[in-house]
Structures are given as C-alpha cells and as structure tokens.
Amino acid sequence: DQASASDPNVHAALSASAGSGKTQVLSARVLRLLLSSVRPEHILCLTFTKAGAAEMANRINTRLATWVRMRDQDLRIDLINLGEANDPNTMRRARQLFAKILDAPGGLRIQTIHSFAQALLAAFPAEAGITPGFKPLEGRAEQELARTTLANLLADAESGGNESLIGDVQCLSLRLGEQDAIGYLMQCARASDAMAALGAPETLEGKLRAMTGLPDGSVDEFLAEYCADDRFDCDLLHAITAANRAWGGVTGTKAAVAVEQWLGLDPAGRAATLSDLALVVFTGSGSLRKVSPGQRKANADYDAHAERLAEMIGDLLTIQRGAALAVDMAAGLRAGQAFAAAYAHAKRSAGVADFDDLIRWTRQLLEQPGMGEWVRYKLDRRTDHILVDEAQDTNPDQWAIVRALVEEFFSGASEAERRVRTLFMVGDFKQAIYGFQGSDPGEFKQVRDWARQSSEALRDAEDERDDGERLALEFRDLSIDASFRSSPAILEAVDAMIGEVGFEAMGLPGQPNRHRAFFDRRPGLVELWKPFTSETADDGSDSEGEEGWLSDRDRLYAIALADQVKRWLDEAPILASTQRALGPGDILILVRSRRELASLIVA
C-alpha cells in the first residue's frame, strides 16, 4: 500500500492512520519524483504545521545526504525498497540529488500553506491589492494586538458615550469570562466577512428571535398574557395545591405555599417568577420530580397533573430563556462585529497580516478573473507536482487555493504537452483536531472525489480516441491501516470504540477498515476505569465551595492516578520493549489541558 501511494506517476489520495508511515510515504514519493528526473523547484509540498514541514524536510535531506556516502550494495537495497531501479545510472542520479537540491533556486519547497501564501503575496502584491512589505502576525504579537485593540475599542466607546457597545462586551465577559471572551472575539475577527454579512447591529436580536421561532414584540407581555387566569390552567394548580396540603409534611407544605404565592401575583409577576413555580414539578437540575406515594394517595390523578403542569411551564420557560439567550447572543455578535472591524483596521495600520489574511488574500488573488489565470500561469511554469500533508486539517479556503493550483493538472493540457503533473494528498479523518480554526475533514473527501472524477473523465475521453494512446494519469484512492507504532491491544480498543460510537459520529466518511498492528506480537494492555463522580447536591451541581475549590471528582481522580503510578513503580516490572525495569520516565499521563487537574496530578 505504501509503495502504491508513493508511485510518482499517478495521482493519489491516501487515508493513513496514526503510526502507519504517512511521513515515510510522503518522503518516498518526493524521493521517487527526484529520481525520475523531476527538478526540485517543480515540486511543492504543503503541510499544515511548521513541525510537519521540518520533519519532512529533515527526512528527505538526511536520506539524500546518506545516499552520497552509502556503499553501493546498501544503496542498491535502499533503491529496491523504495520501488526504484538500482542500475548504475539510477545509483549515480541518487548520489547527485543532494547537491542538485542545494543548487536548485529556492531549494526543495516544503512549506506550510501559510508560508506558501505569504511568498505568493510577496511576489504579487499589486495584483493582490495589498501593501507591499507587510509582516506576518502570529503568536504573542497577535495576542498583544488583540488586547490592545479591545482596550482601545472600549476606551473609544467610553469617551464617545457608546454605552451599548460597553454593555455588549460586559454581557459577553459575564457569560464567558475574560479569556474566553477574547477568544470568541478573535474568532469573530477571523470571520470578518461573515461578521460584516450579518447586517446592521440593531437588527440582530430580531433575526435571532425569528430564526428560533420566538414571538414578535415583547416576550414579557407575551408570557404575562399566558400567565393570566383566563389563559393558564388555574384549576390544575388548585388541584396540585390541595393534594400537597392533604399530603402534608415539609415538602408538601412547601409546594402548596409556592403555588399559592404564585397565584397571588399579577400576570407580569407570575411571568417573572415562572422558575419558582417550576420547582414544584422540576428539580434544580431540570429533571422531573418523582411523585411521592403521599401525593398519589391524596390525589389519584397527581401523576397526570404534575406532567401537565411540567409541560405548560416548560413551554413558557423555553420561550423566556430563548428570549434571554437571543439578547445575549445578539450582544455577542454586535461586540464581534465591532471588534472584527477594529482589529482589521489595527492590522492595516500596523502593516501586519495574520494567517487568515494570508489565506483569504491568496484565494481572492487566484480566483480573481483574468488576473488569477495569469498568476496561475506564472506558477504553473515551475510547479508540476503538489503534495498536501495533514489533509484532514485543511479548511475550505485552503482547499480552494490547492484546487486553483491543480485545476490545470486535469484540463488535458498537461497530457497534450506530454508533461507529467501529479496531485498527492494524505490525511486521517480520525486525527482532525482543528475544527476551531475552520478545518473540515469533509472537504478532504470532496476534493478527493473531485480529483478522482476529473482524472476518470480525462481517461474516459482518451478511451474514445482512435489512436489508443493513454497519457492521462491514473487516480488511486488508498488507505493504510497497519500501525508500526501501536500494539494489537491498543488498536483493538480503538476499533471497539469506533464500533460503539459509530463512524458517522466521529466524522468518518465511511466504515473504516479494522486497524492492525504491523508488529502483531507486541505486548500491550488497555484498562478502562469507571468515571470518577463527586457527591452532588440536591440540585445536581458539583459540591464545590463558594470559594471555588477544586471539585472532589478531580481530587479523587488525581489521587487514584498517583496511587496507580506508585504501584507500578513499586512492582517495577521488566518492560518487553527495553528489557529493563519500569522507571518514572516510562510513564506518560495525557490530559486535555494543563489546568487544575494537571496541577493536582503533579502534586
């Protein structure tokens, strides 16, 4: 499967599970392209991360440097394992490749898609309509600019008397906290076009209410109307009150008093205290209260009465809470609109561009009528082979750039010129972790389908010709599921989990093949621990103090982990992989983030 994917004379899309040799295949395909006399500057490798680009470049350069001084016998074996010939001419080319890459203009291009976009825009700033000499913005500088922009935005709002904007940001901060509020505003800034397309800020709350089916006009008046004696089923409330009075006890009396107090209010007061009435039939966590034998004895229809009241109150609370949510969401969107506009202005003033700018400008440049074709032509003169790594993490805008670069590969012009041009993509749907940045694994499937259909259309057109000559390249849709990294026990657990959760729920495009371990006798063990839960209060919330102490659940979990590690170290079993006793450095604990739980584990 690896050899089939690394064939330099076909288009290919590869789904490669973790540890199955994905980087090995990418490197092998580049090496085989070079051995087939493709010039280094005609190859473009696009990766998602700088670490991925560095790893691939290091592998290729190390291999080529090794070939220079490798013994003939070893080089012959290496070339055969790569799937290439090992005749004297091929061996001579292999030994010359390292110097050839060093002499190539720009060297071998292994770049993140953002660095590629930056280089392209730097070459065509006028065509892209941007200021030459902009600087990329990332990391700490981006965070500092975001905080400065927000501070200036609020200062201007205060000096200008814009109480509405200040209130919107306060609402956002109260809901999310300071850090998450800034993160949300940055997401809005990354989607500046979408923010602008929302329309006038004053219309947002109305749009949200319309989208969620909330009533027009004042929600308070709507609810008050439904809480009036002529609309609400007060006879039902009287029956529930009588049953609880007859039952007696603290709980029954408390429920009866709550209903009587609610009935004593005017319609507006009733609407405002619906959540208090709800506690008669709901718990604090929102689940239905169990009907007691005493209530059932006092009124044989109490179950039906409680269910009916819960339904009535639930419908009204849904409207009330939905309206409150629409108010908060509208505030968040208005704040997002204002911040996105301010942040865009701050970037232009500072002469900087973030990653989203680079991708958006590059896409617009390549898709610009007339100009886009000229830029692609200039690129086509030196780009014949494009390889895309981490394809599952590539977002729609980035895929649009890739498609703009390779559309000419499937036009038939390459074949007419007898010019071999290939597209290779590799990724793993199960490793898609950048959804928060807009990546969508489904885009990988769509581009893969598009490339396959385009390739097949070219080959079908060739079949209709009389000369019988076949120049259009084959498209291979491949998958590698053999792991060189994991033991059978771990892979069996992975398959069992996928079978339980369902491949659709994991975003997989189809039922995956079962994973298998290349080293099928490698020992391994998977233990599933029961979840740790803390004692909960009557309302279902965690029993944490007002001071914000860490939850008992996290504390108990950390203690259990520490105890388990101590048992392992005390037992000191001999590791099959190293043939020595287990030590602290052999144990790795993975957490979602280095927050309170991680601190407890360390402690």
Side-chain angles (χ1 to χ4, degrees):
D1 290 340
Q2 289 183 340
S4 181
S6 68
D7 186 343
N9 295 307
V10 299
H11 305 294
L14 177 65
S15 178
S17 297
S20 61
K22 174 197 69 173
T23 307
Q24 168 78 6
V25 173
L26 274 166
S27 303
R29 189 172 175 102
V30 173
L31 291 170
R32 296 182 71 180
L33 283 168
L34 294 171
L35 285 168
S36 65
S37 299
V38 173
R39 296 174 62 176
E41 62 268 27
H42 291 177
I43 300 172
L44 174 62
C45 303
L46 297 175
T47 68
F48 191 73
T49 63
K50 291 181 179 178
E55 181 182 4
M56 195 193 312
N58 185 56
R59 284 204 186 197
I60 293 170
N61 289 328
T62 300
R63 190 82 167 271
L64 294 179
T66 302
W67 281 356
V68 173
R69 58 185 183 274
M70 186 179 280
R71 292 188 311 164
D72 285 352
Q73 182 179 352
D74 294 335
L75 180 55
R76 289 192 185 97
I77 295 173
D78 216 20
L79 291 172
I80 289 176
N81 289 338
L82 196 60
E84 292 293 313
N86 62 356
D87 58 87
N89 286 336
T90 304
M91 292 176 62
R92 185 168 54 254
R93 281 204 308 275
R95 295 191 189 279
Q96 294 171 346
L97 285 177
F98 188 62
K100 192 173 182 180
I101 284 182
L102 293 178
D103 293 338
L108 188 61
R109 291 183 295 161
I110 302 176
Q111 304 171 279
T112 65
I113 195 164
H114 296 101
S115 63
F116 167 78
Q118 182 183 346
L120 179 65
L121 293 168
F124 301 99
E127 292 80 1
I130 60 176
T131 303
F134 66 88
K135 296 180 180 179
L137 181 69
E138 57 181 301
R140 185 177 297 275
E142 184 178 48
Q143 297 172 9
E144 291 177 354
L145 183 61
R147 289 183 175 276
T148 302
T149 300
L150 180 58
N152 291 338
L153 181 67
L154 292 176
D156 292 343
E158 187 173 7
S159 61
N162 190 348
E163 298 294 333
S164 174
L165 177 57
I166 294 175
D168 289 340
V169 176
Q170 287 175 336
C171 176
L172 183 66
S173 184
L174 284 171
R175 276 196 76 97
L176 301 181
E178 181 183 356
Q179 281 299 121
D180 288 343
I182 293 176
Y184 166 83
L185 290 174
M186 282 302 296
Q187 285 187 318
C188 293
R190 293 187 182 102
S192 56
D193 291 342
M195 288 291 106
L198 288 174
E202 61 272 14
T203 66
L204 294 180
E205 184 179 338
K207 291 178 179 178
L208 287 167
R209 288 176 58 168
M211 287 171 63
T212 52
L214 292 170
D216 296 329
S218 169
V219 171
D220 291 338
E221 293 177 3
F222 177 88
L223 293 174
E225 180 182 345
Y226 271 82
C227 288
D229 289 343
D230 58 341
R231 298 294 295 270
F232 205 91
D233 191 345
C234 295
D235 291 339
L236 177 66
L237 291 178
H238 290 308
I240 287 177
T241 301
N244 278 288
R245 287 284 186 196
W247 176 34
V250 176
T251 304
T253 302
K254 183 179 178 180
V257 170
V259 175
E260 290 169 348
Q261 289 178 341
W262 191 83
L263 284 171
L265 299 171
D266 61 16
R270 291 177 179 179
T273 56
L274 273 171
S275 56
D276 295 336
L277 180 63
L279 292 175
V280 174
V281 287
F282 290 108
T283 66
S285 60
S287 57
L288 278 174
R289 290 190 181 276
K290 293 183 179 179
V291 176
S292 71
Q295 290 169 321
R296 201 173 286 121
K297 182 178 179 181
N299 188 326
D301 295 326
Y302 195 91
D303 289 85
H305 290 340
E307 186 176 334
R308 169 65 180 148
L309 180 59
E311 182 181 356
M312 292 172 60
I313 295 175
D315 289 344
L316 294 177
L317 283 178
T318 296
I319 294 173
Q320 188 178 66
R321 292 167 180 166
L325 180 61
V327 170
D328 287 355
M329 290 176 70
L333 289 174
R334 288 193 298 266
Q337 282 185 316
F339 180 82
Y343 188 66
H345 178 72
K347 287 188 293 183
R348 299 298 85 78
S349 299
V352 297
D354 59 23
F355 286 167
D356 299 288
D357 292 328
L358 299 178
I359 297 301
R360 183 171 62 254
W361 293 344
T362 301
R363 178 177 183 176
Q364 291 171 352
L365 173 62
L366 293 175
E367 293 181 348
Q368 185 178 342
M371 186 63 68
E373 284 86 346
W374 180 77
V375 172
R376 285 198 297 272
Y377 166 73
K378 299 289 284 186
L379 287 173
D380 281 346
R381 296 179 66 183
R382 65 189 193 107
T383 303
D384 284 337
H385 303 275
I386 294 179
L387 298 88
V388 182
D389 189 15
E390 303 291 2
Q392 78 281 350
D393 289 325
T394 305
N395 67 34
D397 283 335
Q398 293 165 352
W399 274 124
I401 293 172
V402 174
R403 285 189 59 163
L405 295 176
V406 302
E407 277 179 346
E408 188 69 18
F409 291 15
F410 300 100
S411 67
S414 301
E415 286 74 15
E417 300 170 6
R418 296 186 177 273
R419 183 178 173 191
V420 177
R421 310 177 75 186
T422 63
L423 170 65
F424 177 75
M425 304 170 282
V426 60
D428 181 15
F429 289 94
K430 298 184 296 300
Q431 297 184 63
I433 60 172
Y434 288 97
F436 66 93
Q437 291 186 358
S439 65
D440 181 3
E443 291 288 327
F444 178 28
K445 181 179 183 301
Q446 290 182 20
V447 174
R448 189 168 60 183
D449 292 342
W450 166 78
R452 181 178 59 250
Q453 292 164 6
S454 301
S455 175
E456 291 174 351
L458 270 181
R459 291 171 70 83
D460 290 343
E462 281 189 340
D463 289 341
E464 295 176 2
R465 295 208 310 252
D466 296 332
D467 56 16
E469 188 176 21
R470 181 177 283 277
L471 297 173
L473 301 184
E474 173 189 358
F475 180 89
R476 293 177 182 170
D477 201 345
L478 303 166
S479 177
I480 300 177
D481 294 305
S483 173
F484 293 85
R485 181 184 303 161
S486 298
S487 68
I490 292 176
L491 297 177
E492 288 167 7
V494 170
D495 287 335
M497 187 276 293
I498 293 175
E500 179 70 22
V501 175
F503 64 92
E504 300 97 336
M506 294 188 65
L508 301 175
Q511 181 68 56
N513 299 328
R514 294 191 65 82
H515 298 82
R516 62 184 179 88
F518 185 83
F519 301 105
D520 56 3
R521 295 186 180 181
R522 177 175 286 172
L525 174 67
V526 175
E527 287 185 357
L528 296 181
W529 293 6
K530 290 184 178 180
F532 281 74
T533 58
S534 58
E535 294 182 2
T536 54
D538 290 341
D539 64 356
S541 61
D542 282 346
S543 56
E544 300 176 18
E546 293 181 1
E547 298 86 353
W549 296 104
L550 302 177
S551 71
D552 287 342
R553 177 190 63 247
D554 288 350
R555 182 176 56 81
L556 292 173
Y557 186 39
I559 290 172
L561 279 173
D563 289 345
Q564 178 65 67
V565 170
K566 186 176 186 301
R567 282 194 295 272
W568 280 334
L569 295 177
D570 289 343
E571 294 168 0
I574 301 299
L575 298 177
S577 57
T578 60
Q579 295 302 309
R580 59 168 174 75
L582 173 78
D586 298 312
I587 299 170
L588 175 66
I589 300 174
L590 298 178
V591 293
R592 289 184 179 273
S593 59
R594 290 193 63 89
R595 294 186 178 178
E596 291 83 358
L597 175 60
S599 300
L600 282 172
I601 294 171
V602 172

